[in-house]
Amino acid sequence: MRADVAAKLSHTDARGRARMVDVGAKPETLREAAASAEVVMERATLRLVERAVGARGKGDVLATARLAGLMAAKRTADLIPLCHPVRLVGCDLELAADPRLPGVRIAARARAFDRTGVEMEAMVAATVAALTVYDMVKGAERGVEIRGVRLEEKRGGKSGTWSRRSGSKPMDINRSSK
């Protein structure tokens, strides 16, 4: 592997082999990240999702997906091979039916006081929530699509703040830090 490529890929060594980044010398600071996803479906399927809100047991698609995303954020290091386990201090997930998609919009925000960021935790939370929506509606519609899983912003650490929406207001999902 070329040295310039290896230098830009943080999880590879000079020979191009996978490695876990050593974060031992980094200071523990507040790290925050927001991610999003969309689950696109037919309008009739979305109506079923909307009618199930508040249902008991596993009937409430949005509540079940929200819980699945929260649980997944805590297990990120078990799913992504080179991801460090982090001490999450908070994770928020919002799921909302959106007839304009039509479908469900998902916004996730993860926070940790640790030596490494929580971008992966936010994206895993959004992704697993989207997969859970799919799982719960696949009996009504197999053609549901999961789209646009992406990092929206991150704060903290050596690289500071990054936002997909530079110059505009960042995602506002129960913001706890400035």
Side-chain angles (χ1 to χ4, degrees):
M1 176 177 277
R2 292 183 3 215
D4 62 326
V5 173
K8 291 181 181 181
L9 298 176
S10 62
H11 286 82
T12 58
D13 65 15
R15 295 190 304 190
R17 297 177 306 176
R19 71 176 179 101
M20 190 172 209
V21 176
D22 184 347
V23 298
K26 290 183 174 184
E28 292 182 340
T29 61
L30 181 63
R31 315 293 182 116
E32 187 172 21
S36 63
E38 299 172 341
V39 184
V40 181
M41 60 193 69
E42 297 291 329
R43 291 185 191 287
T45 306
L46 181 58
R47 283 192 293 276
L48 293 173
V49 170
E50 291 174 315
R51 276 189 252 149
V53 171
R56 294 180 186 256
K58 287 172 52 174
D60 187 331
V61 174
L62 302 182
T64 302
R66 181 176 173 276
L67 185 57
L70 293 170
M71 292 171 66
K74 298 188 305 182
R75 303 291 305 233
T76 299
D78 293 334
L79 302 169
I80 310 299
L82 301 175
C83 193
H84 289 85
V86 297
R87 298 182 316 255
L88 287 175
V89 296
C91 188
D92 301 306
L93 238 82
E94 295 296 329
L95 289 88
D98 185 345
R100 293 173 307 212
L101 278 178
V104 176
R105 292 193 187 274
I106 301 168
R109 181 170 296 277
R111 289 174 305 286
F113 191 80
D114 218 313
R115 297 173 191 267
T116 190
V118 289
E119 297 92 343
M120 296 306 298
E121 285 73 12
M123 290 199 309
V124 165
T127 301
V128 170
L131 288 167
T132 302
V133 171
Y134 178 87
D135 184 47
M136 293 187 72
V137 303
K138 69 180 185 261
E141 179 189 347
R142 296 274 180 190
V144 171
E145 289 183 44
I146 296 171
R147 296 184 186 165
V149 176
R150 65 190 202 174
L151 182 68
E152 295 293 343
E153 71 177 7
K154 59 87 55 192
R155 295 173 183 268
K158 181 179 172 184
S159 63
T161 298
W162 176 87
S163 176
R164 181 170 300 281
R165 302 175 198 179
S166 59
S168 66
K169 182 180 177 190
M171 288 180 65
D172 183 17
I173 173 170
N174 301 321
R175 299 203 49 122
S176 66
S177 67
K178 302 290 181 222

